[in-house]
């Protein structure tokens, strides 16, 4: 999707930079360019010479050297894995780069990726050691078609000489961690949205989509725009009974206003604080930074990680017989660790972060997410008082099914057995189904040897093979209509784990186990509240009180300079705002964009409005179809948006332009979220903002898109407000000066706050003569007409049928450069790469 923004300062992010990737034969090249529109500081005079330079030649030499641009840890890792950079180029946030990742993992989607790979004319994977293939999502499906697909993937992997892990071996992300592919200081990608998990090991993990994976297979490379980085500082230490899962559930719920949307996150804290977060907790936190909206979640390479790596290397060295020569043991080797620790990366002092957040871990208690949204997080103690009965409990997924998680859950039953008269493991509550699946076979083996696996089986748990299963809505144990489930997994979007009429909560393994035992949401009673804690301490900044802060002179100067730059930038923006004309009323006629010969100069259609924020990819394309490779275009069109609104299919018409709220397309990396909309013959989506992965999928699949927050607010003002009927409301062009901050978006009533990821109902109109169009509607045909003038980078909106005298207004939008037009005109990145490969041949 050409993800374009209406405010011109954002264009630096949405305009690819030309010439980043060279075009040798049989190598893909992405014509990307980037433009910086405004400076962040004004020119200032400086003395010809400092006194120290005059009196000390050595000082003169030092001071004459240009300062090195400080980099975040994210930028440093990207620097290592960027190719074809200009000499002395230091990458920074906003740059488009060509990446050659250390490893790329694909799972059940490997066969669709292989078909893309073959369709573009490639035959041999560029670097087999770079690729890892796992089978983990639909492992319970023993149908002939799925078994055939699995066989095709395995045969393809063997033919290409890539590392392959069969169904039942484990979840791909866990394999990447335990087999040493996700290595500290490297960059690894996967065609799955939870690639962020690798950040728990100090490995920059980020998702790519299937077309990107095909590009990496054929060329070893893909494109990426370096996101802004948010620095999250932890203080305090975790109290007893609080886990890493509680940390990330709390972060998602307490910072739930898209605070880190499309950011890279770097976690930091004092040595004492970070020691309270073992590696398994870090993996859980990094894993769910996806649900928090981030593109990565990176922990430092510190003493905790070093100890974990040394343990892994020692364990590998102790193995005997044939296993001692396995690649895994070569990856976890003390000599390799010596080199890593001697040259480990860390963020530079003075590195530029987009924002700073802090959380005091010592003030946390066990938290539960939901129902049906990660943006709703509630302290466990509050939910315990509500006596919420459950039907199903799940200890599954790559988030919390490692041996330590299984041990925590088993301890709930073992502790209960100590209090039982017969000393036996008690059974789970009547009417509750409890499902367990280890993250991998090795993790299950550890649990079995410790007696933890058997303890849960004795309690009545139903074992499932190591894999994704219920977490992705596949296989045994899915939620039925009206049921309530609690899971240790990572995503509880409505309908993801079964019926859209069910409720799903997320919690730590011990809370899931305790809930299964009691039959209602409850904890094991392990939490010990620290003295003096009266609420969670969190907010913006680094969490250090100014009176307690001790900084060096260098840090003080950096702070002063940063504050001065911010003041100058604000002044520049204010000056530009005051001196610039209102572009919505007086567009610059001279600003035109060249149009690619195969791209339409304008796009128009009627607006169909889906009024909700955070419509996720499960809402756009149900997960149960994601790994069915034989779904027809007609079926895709039929189920498009069905988890959001079952009536969407009957209301939307071919040629419509879909409009939705903010963060449209968040969630998983499934490409079908974009292709299903195209299958419904909807060529374009307009939103307040897009989830990054959806935007990437859309570009790669030729779905057009624009970010126009003003249009979303205007639609909500007209169709969601109860102040007056649409016919009497002023339009922006008619002099409506209502600010965006005063246009209140629809909010779900607090007494019905089931999910912030589901559509909030519109408030009823208080005007008795209001038309039926004012009634709440998940999908609304607006009758408005939308035209995008690509050449002039301008939209025109007519707020009613032609000839009705409806108000009309225009708005400038970001440019769609010819190189992106070309990708869309070719039917997406796959067609464009195929075209380029043909040129090379």
């Amino acid at each position: 999707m050409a993800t374009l923004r209406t405010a011109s300062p954002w264009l630096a992010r949405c305009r690819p930079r030309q010439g980043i990737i060279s075009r040798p034969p049989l190598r893909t090249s992405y014509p990307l360019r980037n433009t910086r529109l405004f400076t962040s500081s004004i020119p200032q005079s400086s003395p010809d010479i400092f006194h120290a330079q005059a009196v000390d030649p050595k000082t003169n030499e030092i001071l004459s050297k240009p300062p090195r641009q400080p980099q975040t840890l994210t930028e440093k890792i990207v620097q290592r894995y960027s190719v074809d950079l200009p000499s002395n180029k230091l990458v920074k946030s906003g740059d488009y780069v060509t990446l050659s990742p250390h490893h790329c993992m694909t799972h059940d989607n490997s066969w669709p990726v292989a078909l893309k790979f073959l369709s573009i004319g490639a035959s041999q994977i560029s670097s087999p050691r770079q690729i890892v293939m796992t089978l983990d999502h639909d492992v319970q499906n023993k149908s002939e078609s799925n078994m055939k697909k699995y066989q095709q993937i395995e045969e393809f992997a063997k033919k290409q000489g890539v590392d392959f892990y069969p169904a039942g071996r484990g979840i791909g992300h866990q394999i990447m961690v335990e087999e040493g592919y996700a290595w500290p200081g490297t960059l690894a990608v996967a065609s799955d949205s939870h690639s962020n998990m690798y950040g728990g090991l100090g490995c920059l993990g980020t998702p790519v989509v299937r077309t990107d994976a095909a590009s990496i297979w054929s060329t070893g490379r893909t494109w990426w725009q370096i996101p802004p980085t948010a620095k999250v500082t932890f203080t305090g230490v975790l109290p007893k009974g609080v886990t890493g899962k509680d940390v990330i559930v709390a972060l998602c719920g307490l910072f739930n206003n898209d605070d880190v949307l499309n950011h890279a996150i770097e976690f930091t804290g004092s040595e004492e604080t970070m020691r309270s977060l073992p590696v398994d907790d870090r993996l859980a936190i990094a894993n769910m930074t996806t649900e928090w909206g981030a593109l990565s979640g990176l922990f430092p390479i510190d003493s905790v990680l070093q100890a974990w790596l040394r343990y892994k290397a020692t364990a590998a060295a102790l193995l005997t017989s044939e296993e001692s020569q396995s690649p895994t043991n070569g990856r976890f080797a003390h000599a390799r660790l010596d080199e890593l620790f001697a040259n480990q990366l860390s963020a530079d002092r003075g590195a530029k972060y987009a924002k700073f957040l802090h959380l005091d871990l010592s003030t946390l208690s066990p938290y539960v997410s939901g129902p049906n949204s990660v943006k709703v997080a509630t302290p466990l103690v509050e939910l315990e008082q509500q006596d919420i009965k459950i039907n199903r409990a799940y200890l599954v997924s790559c988030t919390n099914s490692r041996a330590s998680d299984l041990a925590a859950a088993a301890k709930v039953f073992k502790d209960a057995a100590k209090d039982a008269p017969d000393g036996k493991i008690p059974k789970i509550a009547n009417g509750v189904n409890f499902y367990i699946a280890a993250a991998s076979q090795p993790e299950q083996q550890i649990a079995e040897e410790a007696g933890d696996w058997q303890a849960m089986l004795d309690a009545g748990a139903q074992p499932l093979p190591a894999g994704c299963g219920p977490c992705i809505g596949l296989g045994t144990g899915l939620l039925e209509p009206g049921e309530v489930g609690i899971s240790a997994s990572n995503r509880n979007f409505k309908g993801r784990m079964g019926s859209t009429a069910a409720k799903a909560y997320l919690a730590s393994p011990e809370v899931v186990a305790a809930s299964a035992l009691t039959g209602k949401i409850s904890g094991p009673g392990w939490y010990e509240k620290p003295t003096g804690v009266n609420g969670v301490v969190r907010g913006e900044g680094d969490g250090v009180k100014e009176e307690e802060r001790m900084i060096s002179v260098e840090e003080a100067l950096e702070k002063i300079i940063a504050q001065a730059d911010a003041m100058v930038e604000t002044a520049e923006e204010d000056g530009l705002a005051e001196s610039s004309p209102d572009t919505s009323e007086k567009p610059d006629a001279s600003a035109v964009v060249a149009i690619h010969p195969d791209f339409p100069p304008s796009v128009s259609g009627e607006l169909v409005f889906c009024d909700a924020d955070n419509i996720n990819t499960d809402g756009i394309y149900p997960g149960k179809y994601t790994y069915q490779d034989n779904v027809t275009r007609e079926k895709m069109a039929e189920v498009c948006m069905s988890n959001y609104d079952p009536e969407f299919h009957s209301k939307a018409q071919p040629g419509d332009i879909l409009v939705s709220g903010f963060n449209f397309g968040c969630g998983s990396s499934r490409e079908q979220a974009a292709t299903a909309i195209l299958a419904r013959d909807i060529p374009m989506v307009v939103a307040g903002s897009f989830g990054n992965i959806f935007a990437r999928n859309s570009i790669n699949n030729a779905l057009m898109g624009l970010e126009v927050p003003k249009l979303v607010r205007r639609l909500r003002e007209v169709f969601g407000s109860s102040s007056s009927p649409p016919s009497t409301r002023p339009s922006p062009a008619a002099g409506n000066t209502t600010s965006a901050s005063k246009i209140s978006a629809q909010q779900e009533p607090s007494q019905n706050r089931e999910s912030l990821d589901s559509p909030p109902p519109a408030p009823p109109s208080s005007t008795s003569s209001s038309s039926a169009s004012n009634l709440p509607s998940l999908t609304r045909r607006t009758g408005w007409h939308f035209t995008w003038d690509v050449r002039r980078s301008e939209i025109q909106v007519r707020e009613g049928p032609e000839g009705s005298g409806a108000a009309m207004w225009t708005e400038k939008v970001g440019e769609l450069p010819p190189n992106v037009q070309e990708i869309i005109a070719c039917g997406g990145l796959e067609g464009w790469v195929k075209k380029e490969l043909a040129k090379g041949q």
Side-chain angles (χ1 to χ4, degrees):
M1 172 179 295
T3 308
L4 308 174
R5 294 163 170 79
T6 60
S8 56
W10 289 98
L11 292 180
R13 182 179 175 188
C14 64
R15 292 180 180 173
R17 184 173 57 190
Q18 186 72 38
I20 286 290
I21 303 180
S22 58
R23 298 191 179 187
L26 298 179
R27 290 280 181 181
T28 55
S29 55
Y30 306 91
L32 306 173
R33 60 188 178 89
N34 194 5
T35 304
R36 180 176 175 84
L37 300 180
F38 304 115
T39 61
S40 60
S41 61
I42 57 177
Q44 299 183 19
S45 60
S46 58
D48 293 334
I49 192 169
F50 289 98
H51 174 70
Q53 291 177 276
V55 300
D56 187 347
K58 292 184 179 179
T59 303
N60 180 37
E61 180 182 353
I62 295 173
L63 293 175
S64 298
K65 290 183 179 179
R68 182 185 181 277
Q69 170 190 314
Q71 289 179 306
T72 65
L73 179 56
T74 300
E75 291 166 343
K76 282 191 172 184
I77 295 176
V78 173
Q79 183 84 39
R80 279 187 171 183
Y81 290 91
S82 296
V83 296
D84 296 335
L85 289 175
S87 178
N88 299 321
K89 164 67 176 176
L90 291 176
V91 302
K92 62 182 183 303
S93 171
D95 286 348
Y96 281 89
V97 295
T98 306
L99 287 179
S100 180
H102 185 57
H103 284 295
C104 172
M105 187 270 285
T106 57
H107 44 64
D108 291 36
N109 55 24
S110 295
W111 188 241
V113 173
L115 295 178
K116 287 179 177 288
F117 170 81
L118 296 171
S119 71
I120 61 179
S123 59
Q124 179 62 46
I125 287 179
S126 174
S127 177
R129 294 297 89 192
Q130 186 183 32
I131 308 303
V132 181
M133 295 185 192
T134 67
L135 299 178
D136 60 6
H137 272 55
D138 204 10
V139 297
Q140 298 177 45
N141 184 356
K142 305 300 180 183
S143 67
E144 182 179 352
S145 60
N146 195 56
M147 291 296 95
K148 179 180 179 181
K149 179 176 74 172
Y150 277 9
Q151 181 181 359
Q152 289 171 322
I153 294 172
E154 182 172 4
E155 290 176 351
F156 182 84
K158 290 181 178 179
K159 179 181 179 181
Q160 295 289 337
V162 305
D163 289 354
F164 171 80
Y165 295 86
R169 169 59 179 79
I171 301 174
H173 299 307
Q174 178 63 25
I175 289 172
M176 292 287 285
V177 166
E178 68 188 26
E179 294 292 332
Y181 296 108
W183 191 254
T186 69
L187 188 150
V189 301
S191 56
D192 187 275
S193 58
H194 287 104
S195 313
N196 298 27
M197 189 176 99
Y198 314 149
L201 300 184
C203 168
L204 181 58
T206 194
V208 294
V209 297
R210 296 179 182 184
T211 306
D212 294 312
S215 174
I216 294 171
W217 285 12
S218 58
T219 70
R221 306 176 178 189
T222 191
W223 64 272
W224 202 50
Q225 185 182 22
I226 305 173
T229 305
K231 186 175 185 179
V232 178
T233 301
F234 293 138
T235 59
V237 296
L238 279 183
K240 182 179 179 181
V242 183
T243 70
K245 184 59 165 284
D246 299 308
V247 173
I248 189 59
V249 166
L251 285 171
C252 290
L254 298 176
F255 297 96
N256 63 2
N257 292 315
D258 296 336
D259 300 79
V260 295
L261 179 63
N262 296 333
H263 281 63
I265 296 175
E266 293 183 12
F267 294 105
T268 187
S270 70
E271 184 176 355
E272 180 184 20
T273 294
M274 301 308 281
R275 277 203 306 265
S276 73
L277 291 171
V279 167
D280 282 1
D281 278 350
R282 298 179 183 199
L283 291 170
I285 293 170
N287 182 292
M288 278 190 64
T289 56
T290 300
E291 280 64 43
W292 200 13
L295 299 180
S296 62
L298 195 58
F299 277 84
I301 305 172
D302 60 4
S303 60
V304 174
L305 179 59
Q306 291 177 4
W308 184 87
L309 291 167
R310 288 295 186 190
Y311 169 81
K312 293 284 289 184
T314 300
L318 291 175
L319 291 177
T320 56
S321 70
E322 297 177 356
E323 295 185 41
S324 63
Q325 303 302 318
S326 71
T328 305
N329 300 332
R331 285 187 286 270
F332 286 108
H334 285 291
R336 190 182 184 198
L337 293 180
D338 291 340
E339 181 180 356
L340 169 68
F341 300 155
N343 301 283
Q344 68 186 46
L345 296 178
S346 61
D348 289 328
R349 178 175 293 177
K352 185 176 182 180
Y353 291 90
K355 60 178 58 179
F356 298 83
L357 302 175
H358 69 89
L359 175 68
D360 187 345
L361 301 183
S362 63
T363 63
L364 275 184
S365 64
Y367 261 75
V368 177
S369 170
N372 296 349
S373 174
V374 296
K375 289 175 175 278
V376 178
T378 308
L380 172 65
V381 64
E382 295 183 18
L383 294 184
E384 286 179 313
Q385 297 170 5
Q386 298 178 26
D387 196 34
I388 301 172
K389 301 293 192 296
I390 67 164
N391 305 99
R392 301 178 191 269
Y394 306 88
L395 181 51
V396 299
S397 86
C398 53
T399 315
N400 281 119
S401 286
R402 282 169 282 279
S404 61
D405 302 311
L406 301 173
K411 186 177 186 298
V412 172
F413 298 102
K414 291 179 179 180
D415 286 355
K418 296 177 183 177
D419 298 329
D422 57 3
K424 294 183 178 180
I425 295 290
K427 295 295 183 181
I428 58 178
N430 291 332
V432 174
N433 289 289
F434 181 31
Y435 307 93
I436 59 174
S440 69
Q441 282 184 343
E443 295 296 308
Q444 180 174 331
Q445 183 178 353
I446 295 172
E448 289 173 344
E449 293 173 352
D452 297 327
W453 192 259
Q454 189 60 47
M456 289 186 285
L457 296 181
D458 291 344
Q462 302 176 45
L464 300 174
C468 302
C471 177
I472 187 62
L474 298 172
T476 300
L478 303 188
L479 288 169
E480 299 290 339
E483 289 188 335
V484 176
I486 188 167
S487 177
S489 55
N490 46 39
R491 190 167 286 166
N492 60 347
F493 297 156
K494 183 177 290 187
R496 177 178 173 85
M497 298 184 69
S499 171
T500 56
K503 293 182 180 180
Y505 294 84
L506 302 178
S508 66
E510 47 263 53
V511 169
V512 169
S515 300
L517 182 60
T518 62
K520 60 183 181 180
I521 294 180
S522 56
W526 299 343
Y527 171 59
E528 296 181 1
K529 183 178 180 179
T531 303
V533 171
N534 297 309
V536 179
V537 176
R538 83 280 187 183
E540 297 184 356
D542 60 11
V544 180
K545 298 178 181 179
E546 289 302 319
E547 62 269 22
E548 299 176 357
R549 189 183 305 277
M550 297 181 62
I551 61 176
S552 66
V553 174
E554 181 181 4
E555 290 170 329
L557 287 173
E558 288 173 354
K559 183 177 180 180
I560 293 171
I561 293 171
Q563 291 173 341
D565 277 346
M567 292 172 63
V568 169
E569 185 172 359
T570 301
E572 285 182 338
E573 291 177 355
D574 290 345
L576 284 167
E578 292 173 2
S579 60
S580 299
D582 184 349
T583 56
S584 64
E585 298 182 9
K586 300 177 182 179
D588 182 4
S590 63
V592 296
V593 177
I595 302 298
H596 187 272
D598 297 324
F599 195 86
S602 66
V603 180
S604 62
E606 182 179 343
L607 296 178
V608 58
F609 187 31
C610 293
D611 186 10
D613 297 332
N614 304 300
I615 294 182
N616 54 72
T617 51
D618 287 274
I620 302 170
Y621 189 77
K624 62 183 178 181
Y625 299 106
T626 303
Y627 297 100
Q628 297 180 23
D629 298 329
N630 59 347
V631 180
T632 64
R633 179 181 176 87
E634 291 73 22
K635 185 65 176 179
M636 292 182 73
E638 177 187 337
V639 303
C640 177
M641 301 293 289
S642 60
N643 268 359
Y644 163 75
D645 180 9
E647 297 182 9
F648 178 85
H649 179 73
S650 63
K651 292 183 178 180
Q653 301 298 323
D656 283 345
I657 293 176
L658 173 61
V659 185
S660 191
F662 294 83
N663 198 21
F664 183 84
C666 57
S668 74
S669 60
R670 66 193 64 168
E671 284 193 324
Q672 296 96 324
T675 57
I677 294 174
L678 288 169
R680 191 65 188 87
D681 292 321
I682 294 174
M684 183 174 183
V685 180
V686 179
S689 62
F690 291 102
N692 183 274
I693 300 178
F694 178 83
R696 189 178 188 97
N697 266 324
S698 298
I699 292 174
N700 288 348
N701 288 281
L703 175 65
M704 293 178 284
L706 283 174
E707 290 187 347
V708 190
K710 180 178 178 179
L711 175 60
V712 176
R713 296 187 181 108
R714 178 62 183 158
L715 285 165
R716 286 176 170 172
E717 182 184 38
V718 171
F719 293 106
S721 173
S722 60
S723 60
S724 58
S727 60
T728 63
R729 294 189 184 97
S731 72
N736 179 16
T737 58
T738 303
S739 67
S741 62
K742 293 181 180 179
I743 301 176
S744 58
Q746 301 171 23
Q747 297 295 326
E748 191 167 14
S750 59
Q751 67 271 22
N752 189 38
R753 196 183 184 193
E754 293 185 4
S755 173
L756 294 180
D757 294 320
S758 60
S765 174
S766 60
T767 306
S768 58
S769 61
S770 295
S771 66
S773 63
N774 271 338
L775 296 176
S777 178
L778 302 184
T779 302
R780 181 190 300 274
R781 297 202 65 80
T782 64
W784 292 21
H785 190 268
F786 177 98
T787 299
W788 175 27
D789 186 333
V790 182
R791 186 185 304 277
R792 294 166 60 87
S793 302
E794 176 183 282
I795 63 165
Q796 181 184 78
V797 177
R798 186 182 67 234
E799 296 185 356
E802 187 175 4
S804 64
M808 297 180 63
W809 52 275
T810 61
E811 175 83 352
K812 293 293 289 184
V813 297
E815 295 180 3
L816 182 68
N819 42 27
V820 179
Q821 296 175 29
E822 183 181 4
I823 291 176
I824 296 173
C826 289
L829 185 60
E830 182 180 342
W832 187 87
V833 172
K834 185 176 181 180
K835 178 181 176 183
E836 292 301 300
L837 290 174
K839 288 180 180 179
Q841 294 172 342

